């Protein structure tokens, strides 16, 4: 054993870090950045409309691929 090994602890040391305060600060900054006009329901509705538009008007091959991705659980059933 070298002299540098002698300073290492023989047993594992518990190491705990509580990030609760940091997480609350992060969330506060996110909400501040979103602003007072942010409407989560409207945002979700807009995302659904975007997905509907994205998957509309598919040709036969695209529809087949889409259906196989849904069947495999890669995309949600719409």
């Amino acid at each position: 054993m070298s002299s540098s090994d002698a300073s290492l602890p023989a047993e594992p040391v518990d190491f705990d870090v509580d990030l609760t305060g940091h997480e609350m600060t992060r969330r506060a900054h996110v909400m501040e950045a979103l602003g007072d006009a942010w409407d989560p329901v409207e945002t979700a509705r807009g995302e659904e409309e975007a997905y509907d538009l994205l998957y509309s008007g598919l040709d036969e091959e695209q529809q087949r691929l889409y259906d196989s991705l849904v069947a495999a659980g890669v995309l949600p059933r719409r």
Side-chain angles (χ1 to χ4, degrees):
M1 182 185 305
S2 71
S3 61
S4 63
D5 292 336
S7 64
L8 296 176
E11 297 291 320
V13 176
D14 286 337
F15 184 75
D16 294 323
V17 176
D18 184 0
L19 298 175
T20 305
H22 175 73
E23 178 61 14
M24 296 308 293
T25 301
R26 186 194 68 79
R27 289 181 184 191
H29 287 298
V30 168
M31 295 307 294
E32 182 181 345
L34 290 171
D36 294 335
W38 180 64
D39 181 356
V41 174
E42 185 58 35
T43 300
R45 187 176 297 119
E47 288 178 2
E48 287 300 313
E49 290 172 3
Y51 280 119
D52 289 343
L53 185 58
L54 177 65
Y55 296 116
S56 68
L58 301 178
D59 65 28
E60 189 175 307
E61 176 63 15
Q62 291 168 330
Q63 187 65 52
R64 185 195 64 72
L65 180 59
Y66 172 79
D67 292 340
S68 67
L69 291 171
V70 169
V74 175
L75 292 174
R77 188 164 306 282
R78 301 191 69 70

